[in-house]
Amino acid sequence: MGNYSLQKYKGMGTRHTCPQCGDRHSFVYYVDKNNVPLHPSVGRCNHESGCGYHYTPKEYFQDHPEHSTANGFSFDRQRVEQTKEKQHSQPVAIGCILPHYVEKSQSVSSNFFRFLSTLLTSYYGSRTKEVLKRLLEEYRLGATRDGSVIFWQIDKTGRVRTGKVMQYNPEDGHRIKGEQTSAVNWIHSILKKQRVLAEDWQLSQCLFGEHLLKNHPDKVVVLVESEKSAVIGSAIFPDYVWLATGGKSQMREEKLRVLTGRTILLFPDADGYAEWKQRAESMTFCKAMVSDIIEKNATPKQKEAHIDIADWIIFQIREGKLMNTANHLVEAEKILQRMIEKTPVLQKLIDDLDLVLVGASSIGSGDGNPP
């Protein structure tokens, strides 16, 4: 492993899509002396105030010790000096946003909520209103004047970290992206432009839905990538605490430590199974199982479209397959059955999702025994 530094600018070919905010020309890779990127997720977004994504080689090798060498690795001189300065400086306070912004924004007027209402009406019928009310209140779903949804990030202690603003098509529930529409906006970025927050205000993200953990200390946690998946998953399977990382590359230990001691089921997107399974191996602080329901069951067309667990649930609802009972469990049967003995409600998830071809890997149990 050699030295890594941020890639020098040599035209737009050296600027890439940010894994967090989705901007197609703002991400700078960390590269070695031969200009080879370490990993597509390792780099820095140029939108420091609006996005703030910065995943360093050091963090990558900490998350992936299997890629390290006995001799360690080093950064360029500037990064080393910055690290030393940080070690001697006081810890940076976590930036928070006043709760009244959450309360003021809470609304059913987003296009995402309109889609959700239509979807759940086809499943719940007359019970839809009470389910929608629960989702609105639990996840504090907000809306902007143009119908974008606000997914608020509220941590376990109730601090509002930021809000993720996205626009959805009310007909099919897909995100609207294009030249005229920004893929993602952030409440902290908006408040900075309005001078409500200071320029030196620092973003520190948490899991979407994290605030629900304290209310449900004994529930199994389901971890997904997108906020949309967490909300839809919770709508159909309310016996679990559904949380979202906010992206495939956001499965970072500093965000996941809040799950210490919990039992976690991970549902990666179609293009994230291998990476999530690998990253989950370092989650020794909890009992985690990685589902390959999409990996095993999705069609080539669905995989090409990078479907997630929300897409899979929507597909099963429309096909009338959601309530089918699984004929058998695969290689993870013994592990799951032992989990079921302690958590009977887990059987409902297996049955309702029709996990006939689902495999799962027991990760982070240390001695190999299920929780």
Side-chain angles (χ1 to χ4, degrees):
M1 190 169 22
N3 298 329
Y4 289 90
S5 58
L6 289 170
Q7 189 175 34
K8 294 182 179 179
Y9 180 77
K10 293 183 179 180
M12 293 311 295
T14 59
R15 294 298 178 264
H16 315 279
T17 300
C18 176
Q20 176 162 286
C21 70
D23 190 292
R24 292 183 293 176
H25 304 296
S26 68
F27 194 62
V28 185
Y29 288 149
Y30 273 100
V31 297
D32 62 15
K33 62 181 180 180
N34 296 316
N35 204 40
V36 177
L38 172 58
H39 188 271
S41 67
V42 182
R44 184 180 70 187
C45 182
N46 287 331
H47 300 310
E48 294 183 4
S49 61
C51 176
Y53 181 90
H54 190 188
Y55 190 30
T56 66
K58 180 178 180 180
E59 292 170 325
Y60 177 81
F61 287 119
Q62 286 176 339
D63 292 340
H64 300 276
E66 69 278 7
H67 296 318
S68 348
T69 65
N71 295 326
F73 68 98
S74 61
F75 295 107
D76 58 89
R77 183 181 300 274
Q78 182 181 6
R79 293 297 300 161
V80 171
E81 293 303 319
Q82 289 177 348
T83 302
K84 288 181 179 178
E85 289 177 8
K86 287 182 179 179
Q87 290 175 345
H88 289 88
S89 62
Q90 294 295 324
V92 178
I94 293 176
C96 300
I97 294 172
L98 292 176
H100 85 84
Y101 288 104
V102 178
E103 298 165 6
K104 185 178 179 181
S105 75
Q106 196 165 320
S107 172
V108 300
S109 298
S110 69
N111 288 322
F112 169 73
F113 204 89
R114 291 189 181 97
F115 165 76
L116 191 63
S117 177
T118 301
L119 174 70
L120 297 186
T121 297
S122 68
Y123 182 72
Y124 281 113
S126 60
R127 289 187 52 212
T128 301
K129 285 187 176 180
E130 67 178 87
V131 177
L132 289 172
K133 181 180 179 182
R134 175 180 65 82
L135 296 173
L136 180 70
E137 294 177 350
E138 287 191 351
Y139 288 101
R140 318 283 177 83
L141 299 175
T144 63
R145 292 178 181 177
D146 68 351
S148 296
V149 65
I150 304 175
F151 293 120
W152 290 101
Q153 289 186 13
I154 305 172
D155 66 24
K156 194 174 180 179
T157 64
R159 294 175 297 187
V160 182
R161 302 290 189 89
T162 189
K164 195 173 184 180
V165 185
M166 291 186 285
Q167 184 63 272
Y168 285 84
N169 185 318
E171 302 299 324
D172 59 21
H174 292 154
R175 277 176 54 189
I176 297 177
K177 306 177 188 177
E179 297 296 332
Q180 311 252 333
T181 307
S182 174
V184 177
N185 202 353
W186 298 89
I187 294 298
H188 71 272
S189 180
I190 294 172
L191 293 179
K192 276 190 175 184
K193 290 178 181 178
Q194 296 175 350
R195 300 182 183 276
V196 174
L197 296 178
E199 276 301 315
D200 60 354
W201 187 94
Q202 294 293 315
L203 170 64
S204 178
Q205 295 194 60
C206 67
L207 295 172
F208 171 71
E210 183 180 306
H211 62 285
L212 299 174
L213 290 172
K214 64 179 181 180
N215 297 329
H216 308 286
D218 299 321
K219 282 189 176 182
V220 172
V221 173
V222 178
L223 191 64
V224 296
E225 290 188 29
S226 76
E227 296 85 357
K228 168 188 169 182
S229 290
V231 175
I232 291 177
S234 179
I236 304 300
F237 304 108
D239 293 322
Y240 301 83
V241 181
W242 289 75
L243 310 181
T245 63
K248 180 171 61 177
S249 65
Q250 288 298 302
M251 197 172 155
R252 308 264 294 277
E253 182 171 342
E254 63 266 28
K255 295 174 74 171
L256 300 177
R257 276 287 173 183
V258 72
L259 302 176
T260 296
R262 305 288 293 240
T263 298
I264 319 296
L265 300 178
L266 296 99
F267 284 87
D269 291 1
D271 61 340
Y273 174 72
E275 181 174 336
W276 270 38
K277 186 175 180 180
Q278 182 185 57
R279 293 177 74 86
E281 292 174 356
S282 64
M283 295 172 63
T284 55
F285 46 85
C286 63
K287 300 292 181 71
M289 299 188 70
V290 183
S291 169
D292 61 2
I293 183 172
I294 294 177
E295 181 77 8
K296 290 285 183 69
N297 294 288
T299 65
K301 185 176 181 181
Q302 288 174 325
K303 289 185 177 180
E304 186 179 350
H306 302 307
I307 70 166
D308 57 21
I309 190 61
D311 297 318
W312 184 256
I313 290 173
I314 292 169
F315 168 75
Q316 289 202 319
I317 287 176
R318 290 174 174 169
E319 293 293 312
K321 297 179 178 180
L322 193 63
M323 299 304 292
N324 288 352
T325 302
N327 294 322
H328 66 274
L329 301 175
V330 289
E331 55 183 301
E333 180 175 2
K334 290 182 180 179
I335 298 172
L336 288 176
Q337 290 291 6
R338 288 182 195 142
M339 290 180 67
I340 291 165
E341 289 174 7
K342 292 189 175 182
T343 315
V345 74
L346 189 60
Q347 182 65 61
K348 185 176 187 298
L349 184 66
I350 295 170
D351 292 341
D352 290 350
L353 271 178
D354 193 17
L355 305 187
V356 62
L357 295 178
V358 171
S361 301
S362 179
I363 305 296
S365 57
D367 58 2
N369 295 321

